[in-house]
């Protein structure tokens, strides 16, 4: 499955760094992150971009640790997570037991991103959750700490007296005492893996309030969202979508002007846009070709526009050029294709 992460992570991280006095323009440029990608509702960042972003902002980790350990009260962690990912966190907050809340968070984690994962193991008394992050260098625990804090707070809502154990990679840092206070246990550093241990007895505790009808609706919405994210196509698909919109709004000319239009919309240089496409094995010419074919097929099948009007809309220099283009790629003339697909050749304008 293609790796991608919600653009909410990058957007909120950059906002936090700006609040802390960091000039984030160089970070965006280095990570090839356009403002369009950051602002796009429900947008995604590729795994490659996210990895570069995390590596680039890692020098500012001390700012994040400062806030997390000294200014972020534990009871605000859920509030903050809900503000960023309300559908996922809301679903976790309306589960029958603490264990099901934990499972809901882990199994639907793609809503936040799928560049990390969890391995669950257990014995008769404990469930051990190992955090796996392919983007972090070996021996690092920064991402694990944030995820373990989220899981700990979820469990606390269902089981306030829950006991846990925390094992972390890396060396003991100056913040170890604050971490002990946050987790309510002595965190073990220098371990081979990042592991959170929870008691089965705590995970089995039932919620004081659980709304089954709402839970059923939430589960359906979450499942639909997860399926859509599993089929996410990437940067090339976003470029194709923007090209399709531009075609419909008649903002397109030749290939060069199409490329300039996309670069202007995304606030991105030609070099960056072409590089991002090459990373997915695509070129702008290939994407534009695919969009033109898809648009031509859709207009011939579903509209009553004449073939000449469709040729003009798609910015072909002449009807004959459009007909040759269509026949080459579809194996039929535009008129024949319309007859085959729409079954109403005699009614369509030609």
């Amino acid at each position: 499955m293609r790796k991608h992460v919600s653009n909410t992570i990058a957007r909120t991280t950059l906002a936090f760094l700006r609040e802390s006095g960091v000039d984030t323009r160089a970070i965006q440029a280095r990570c090839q992150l356009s403002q369009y990608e950051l602002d796009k509702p429900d947008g995604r960042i590729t795994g490659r971009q996210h990895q570069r972003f995390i590596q680039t902002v890692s020098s500012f980790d001390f700012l994040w640790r400062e806030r997390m350990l000294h200014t972020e009260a534990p009871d605000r962690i859920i509030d903050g997570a809900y503000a960023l990912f309300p559908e996922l966190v809301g679903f976790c907050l309306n589960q029958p037991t603490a264990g099901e809340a934990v499972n809901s968070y882990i199994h639907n984690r793609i809503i936040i991103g799928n560049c990390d994962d969890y391995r669950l193991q257990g014995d008769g008394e404990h469930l051990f959750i190992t955090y796996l992050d392919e983007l972090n260098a070996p021996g690092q625990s920064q991402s694990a700490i944030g995820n373990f804090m989220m899981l700990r707070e979820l469990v606390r809502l269902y089981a306030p007296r829950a006991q846990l154990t925390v094992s972390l990679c890396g060396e003991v840092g100056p913040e170890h005492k604050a971490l002990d206070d946050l987790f309510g246990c002595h965190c073990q550093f220098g371990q081979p893996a990042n592991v959170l241990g929870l008691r089965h007895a705590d995970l089995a505790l039932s919620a004081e309030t659980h709304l089954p009808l709402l839970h059923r609706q939430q589960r359906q919405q979450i499942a639909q969202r997860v399926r859509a994210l599993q089929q996410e196509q990437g940067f090339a698909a976003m470029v194709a979508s923007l090209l399709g919109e531009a075609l419909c709004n008649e903002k397109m000319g030749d290939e060069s002007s199409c490329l300039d239009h996309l670069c202007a919309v995304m606030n991105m240089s030609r070099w960056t846009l072409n590089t991002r496409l090459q990373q997915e094995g695509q070129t702008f010419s290939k994407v534009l070709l695919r969009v033109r074919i898809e648009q031509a097929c859709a207009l011939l099948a579903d509209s009553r526009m004449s073939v000449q009007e469709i040729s003009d809309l798609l910015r072909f220099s002449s009807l004959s050029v459009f007909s040759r283009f269509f026949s080459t790629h579809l194996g039929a003339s535009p008129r024949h294709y319309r007859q085959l697909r729409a079954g109403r050749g005699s009614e369509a304008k030609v």
Side-chain angles (χ1 to χ4, degrees), residues 180-254:
D180 289 350
D181 293 340
L182 278 174
F183 285 111
C185 67
H186 178 62
C187 298
Q188 301 288 332
F189 284 85
Q191 303 302 306
N194 297 303
V195 182
L196 175 69
L198 297 162
R199 296 193 313 168
H200 286 304
D202 293 326
L203 295 174
L205 291 177
S206 301
E208 292 184 4
T209 59
H210 172 60
L211 303 173
L213 180 59
L214 176 60
H215 177 268
R216 188 160 57 249
Q217 297 297 323
Q218 290 173 317
R219 185 177 58 206
Q220 292 173 356
Q221 292 173 357
I222 286 286
Q224 183 177 8
R225 176 68 173 144
V226 167
R227 282 195 299 270
L229 289 172
Q230 289 171 339
Q231 298 170 5
E232 190 78 20
Q233 297 298 309
F235 183 74
M238 183 169 63
V239 169
S241 176
L242 287 172
L243 282 172
E245 292 174 9
L247 272 172
C248 292
N249 294 323
E250 302 185 24
K251 294 179 181 177
M252 311 271 286
D254 57 17

Side-chain angles (χ1 to χ4, degrees), residues 15 71 81 85 87 93 113 127 135 145 192 200 209 222 230 251 254 270-271 300 315 340:
T71 63
F85 302 101
E87 57 185 343
L93 296 179
L127 171 70
L135 302 181
I145 292 172
H200 286 304
T209 59
I222 286 286
Q230 289 171 339
K251 294 179 181 177
D254 57 17
R270 282 189 171 206
W271 182 88
L300 287 166
R315 295 298 189 269
L340 291 174

Side-chain angles (χ1 to χ4, degrees), residues 143-161:
S143 295
I145 292 172
N147 279 272
F148 287 172
M149 287 175 61
M150 178 65 187
L151 291 171
R152 186 230 192 283
E153 292 311 306
L154 271 178
V155 172
R156 279 185 65 224
L157 293 174
Y158 293 81
R161 295 183 178 83

Side-chain angles (χ1 to χ4, degrees), residues 91-92 95-107 158 203 215:
F91 184 54
C92 295
Q95 295 293 326
T97 67
E100 289 176 85
V102 169
N103 283 328
S104 296
Y105 179 77
I106 290 176
H107 294 151
Y158 293 81
L203 295 174
H215 177 268

